[in-house]
């Protein structure tokens, strides 16, 4: 079961409405999505929720077909009736030529996190974990450090999900830098996705078993 | 415009968004924009839009997606400028 995730630090100075390029929304969002942003009580939050939905779905799409290009407007976000971005978590559906992706979004005033999968059942079986790096990381966490932190987070979270000790698990990059999980040296079939932005790292994993 | 001039303008634009300032100082055409300079994917959209403004070109998403290194960006812009 494939998963993709994306974390957005809503307080990142570079993400603020006056910092992004004036044509950012037109480049990234469809007319319908832009109308939703404009009509929202918190346009900033909705902008990045829609972005995270697209990005997380893109990560799943890339696992399906490595030739997929990140063309943000080609990943169209629909929030089904009854769901609104004011709820937490809320569900969205992302359509692309490759198919439809189900996305669960949740967040606070500080961050928004999206987890995508190919079906609602996939989302129901997925797990995810998020960690704040603290205020010291507000500007920049070195890439290697963030990468190590998110792997550490994933190891701990997946170990809890499997009821095993974290030291028996290893998270390492396999082909095409896709992270894989190993238990006592044996590759498990669980799919993983990592994300880092600003003060936060987050990981998501598909249904995982020791078999 | 020479390749060196295009490179200088590209670096000036990317430098606005690069989180890894140490890598920026030692950057070359082989430097990876996302992985080495830590420009995140949302900021890469801003970088592409700044390229369009600076060089008066249009960059399709497919072309933008193929830009991994600073050299890729310079080559793309040179191709657009003809």
């Amino acid at each position: 079961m494939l998963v993709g995730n994306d974390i957005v630090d809503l307080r990142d100075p570079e993400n603020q409405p006056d910092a992004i390029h004036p044509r950012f929304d037109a480049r990234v969002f469809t007319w319908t999505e832009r109308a939703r942003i404009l009509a929202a009580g918190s346009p900033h939050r909705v902008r990045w929720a829609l972005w995270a939905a697209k990005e997380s779905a893109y990560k799943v799409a890339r696992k399906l077909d490595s030739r997929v290009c990140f063309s943000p407007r080609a990943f169209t976000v629909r929030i089904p009736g009854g769901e609104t971005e004011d709820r937490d978590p809320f569900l969205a559906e992302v359509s692309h030529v490759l198919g439809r992706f189900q996305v669960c979004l949740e967040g606070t005033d500080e961050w928004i996190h999206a987890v995508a999968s190919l079906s609602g059942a996939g989302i129901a079986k997925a797990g995810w974990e998020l960690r704040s790096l603290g205020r010291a990381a507000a500007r920049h966490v070195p890439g290697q450090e963030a990468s190590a932190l998110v792997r550490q987070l994933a190891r701990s979270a997946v170990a809890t999900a499997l009821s095993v000790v974290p030291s028996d698990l290893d998270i390492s990059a396999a082909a095409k830098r896709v992270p894989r999980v190993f238990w006592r040296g044996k590759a498990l079939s669980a799919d993983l996705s990592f994300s880092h932005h600003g003060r936060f790292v987050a990981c998501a994993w598909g249904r995982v078993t020791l078999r | 415009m020479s390749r060196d001039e295009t490179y200088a303008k590209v670096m000036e634009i990317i430098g606005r968004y690069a989180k890894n300032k140490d890598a920026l100082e030692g950057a070359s055409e082989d430097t990876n924009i996302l992985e080495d300079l830590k420009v995140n994917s949302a900021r890469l959209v801003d970088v592409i839009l700044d390229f369009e403004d600076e060089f008066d070109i249009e960059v399709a998403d497919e072309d933008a997606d193929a830009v991994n290194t600073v050299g890729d960006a310079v080559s793309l812009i040179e191709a657009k400028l003809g």
Side-chain angles (χ1 to χ4, degrees), chain A residues 185-199:
Chain A
K186 172 188 163 191
L188 302 181
S189 61
D191 187 43
L192 297 172
S193 178
F194 296 159
S195 182
H196 162 231
H197 181 223
R199 300 164 296 160

Side-chain angles (χ1 to χ4, degrees), chain A residues 14-15 21 23 27 69 71, chain B residues 43 46 52-53 59 61:
Chain A
E14 292 184 354
N15 274 10
H21 193 285
R23 289 188 284 121
R27 177 89 184 195
C69 148
S71 181
Chain B
R43 296 289 67 76
D46 288 330
E52 290 188 338
D53 294 345
V59 180
D61 288 335

Side-chain angles (χ1 to χ4, degrees), chain A residues 63 151 171-175 177-181 190-194:
Chain A
K63 291 174 181 175
R151 283 171 200 282
I171 308 280
S172 58
R177 302 182 69 251
V178 176
R180 294 287 307 276
V181 55
D191 187 43
L192 297 172
S193 178
F194 296 159

Side-chain angles (χ1 to χ4, degrees), chain A residues 156-205:
Chain A
S156 170
V158 174
T160 301
L162 287 169
S163 300
V164 300
V165 291
S167 58
D168 280 349
L169 288 181
D170 185 33
I171 308 280
S172 58
K176 298 177 183 173
R177 302 182 69 251
V178 176
R180 294 287 307 276
V181 55
F182 296 84
W183 177 65
R184 295 179 178 173
K186 172 188 163 191
L188 302 181
S189 61
D191 187 43
L192 297 172
S193 178
F194 296 159
S195 182
H196 162 231
H197 181 223
R199 300 164 296 160
F200 302 98
V201 291
C203 64
W205 59 95

Side-chain angles (χ1 to χ4, degrees), chain A residues 12 14-15 20-21 23-24 27-28 48 51 55 58 68-72 139-140 143 177 197, chain B residues 16-17 19-20 35 38 40-43 45-46 48-50 52-53 59-62 64-65:
Chain A
D12 181 348
E14 292 184 354
N15 274 10
I20 59 176
H21 193 285
R23 289 188 284 121
F24 182 90
R27 177 89 184 195
V28 168
W48 294 111
W51 168 272
E55 180 88 5
Y58 165 70
V68 172
C69 148
F70 186 50
S71 181
R139 289 301 299 169
H140 171 58
R177 302 182 69 251
H197 181 223
Chain B
R16 296 172 200 160
Y17 304 100
K19 293 279 192 186
N20 189 342
E35 293 176 13
K38 301 299 171 192
N40 70 41
S41 52
R43 296 289 67 76
V45 173
D46 288 330
I48 296 298
L49 291 169
D50 283 354
E52 290 188 338
D53 294 345
V59 180
D61 288 335
E62 291 75 14
D65 200 52

Side-chain angles (χ1 to χ4, degrees), chain A residues 27 43 45 96 116 141 153 167:
Chain A
R27 177 89 184 195
R45 180 181 165 85
H96 182 261
V141 176
L153 175 65
S167 58

Side-chain angles (χ1 to χ4, degrees), chain A residues 114-165:
Chain A
V115 178
S117 191
L118 289 166
S119 66
I123 290 292
K125 291 172 183 168
W128 53 89
E129 197 72 55
L130 179 142
R131 182 169 295 163
S132 168
L133 303 175
R135 292 191 179 279
R139 289 301 299 169
H140 171 58
V141 176
Q144 286 182 326
E145 187 182 333
S147 177
L149 286 167
V150 75
R151 283 171 200 282
Q152 188 181 63
L153 175 65
R155 191 162 83 154
S156 170
V158 174
T160 301
L162 287 169
S163 300
V164 300
V165 291

